[in-house]
Amino acid sequence: MSSQMSITIEPNLDNLELITASVEEIGEKENWAPDLTFKINLVLDELTTNIVKYGGLVSEIEISLCSEDEVVTVEIIDNGRSFDPLTDAPEPDIDAPLGERRIGGLGVYFVRSMMDDLQYRREQGKNHLVITKRRAE
């Protein structure tokens, strides 16, 4: 079975609820494990929040999701400032004592660790981030 959804939102944190509801709807339709729905929602919340807070003058955020038998693929497109989470976000020192750690940077770290693959490209003035997660672990 395969399902797709696309949503375009204004860069406003109030719109995160629309994303969550859409992911939960497709997860229920596709019979995802609750853990998969949680991880996809958490990652989309983190990435979308980062775009809204740090992307600059973003006019809209496009999210496309495709759920197939083996994998879920999500693409996030925004016209904010260029940011490649694979190379621009420093690796946090999670082994350092809490008082010595830099503030921030853990969100992208969690995205990288929870998803199976991330690919970034900058094309026609837009950030394109494609994330994939296997349905079975």
Side-chain angles (χ1 to χ4, degrees), residues 5-6 19 21 25 27 30 53 58 98 109 112 115 119:
M5 72 137 216
S6 293
I19 299 168
E25 182 179 323
E30 288 288 307
K53 287 186 170 184
V58 178
L98 203 51
Y109 169 79
R112 288 187 208 155
M115 296 294 105
Q119 297 178 6

Side-chain angles (χ1 to χ4, degrees), residues 20 27 31 37 39 44 58-59 63 86 91 94 102 106 131:
T20 299
N31 199 33
T37 302
K39 287 179 180 179
L44 284 173
V58 178
S59 61
I63 300 171
L86 304 176
E91 282 288 325
I94 58 172
R102 284 187 52 219
L106 283 177
I131 57 176

Side-chain angles (χ1 to χ4, degrees), residues 2-132:
S2 176
S3 294
Q4 296 184 2
M5 72 137 216
S6 293
I7 186 169
T8 300
I9 62 167
E10 293 180 7
N12 182 316
L13 294 179
D14 292 336
N15 289 326
L16 293 176
E17 292 175 18
L18 297 170
I19 299 168
T20 299
S22 297
V23 169
E24 288 176 358
E25 182 179 323
I26 200 167
E28 189 172 306
K29 179 181 175 186
E30 288 288 307
N31 199 33
W32 290 356
D35 185 54
L36 177 62
T37 302
F38 172 79
K39 287 179 180 179
I40 297 293
N41 267 327
L42 184 63
V43 164
L44 284 173
D45 185 274
E46 175 62 29
L47 293 170
T48 304
T49 298
N50 284 351
I51 293 167
V52 171
K53 287 186 170 184
Y54 309 114
L57 297 175
V58 178
S59 61
E60 64 184 19
I61 302 168
E62 302 169 52
I63 300 171
S64 301
L65 185 147
C66 180
S67 177
E68 298 177 291
D69 290 338
E70 302 292 323
V71 69
V72 175
T73 304
V74 179
E75 182 172 21
I76 305 169
I77 303 171
D78 71 88
N79 65 331
R81 71 175 54 108
S82 177
F83 179 78
D84 179 353
L86 304 176
T87 59
D88 294 343
E91 282 288 325
D93 185 358
I94 58 172
D95 296 322
L98 203 51
E100 296 176 19
R101 293 183 190 177
R102 284 187 52 219
I103 294 175
L106 283 177
V108 172
Y109 169 79
F110 286 128
V111 169
R112 288 187 208 155
S113 65
M114 286 195 295
M115 296 294 105
D116 294 313
D117 188 49
L118 284 87
Q119 297 178 6
Y120 171 85
R121 71 183 186 283
R122 180 84 176 174
E123 190 174 275
Q124 297 179 340
K126 294 184 177 184
N127 297 301
H128 294 254
L129 181 63
V130 178
I131 57 176
T132 57

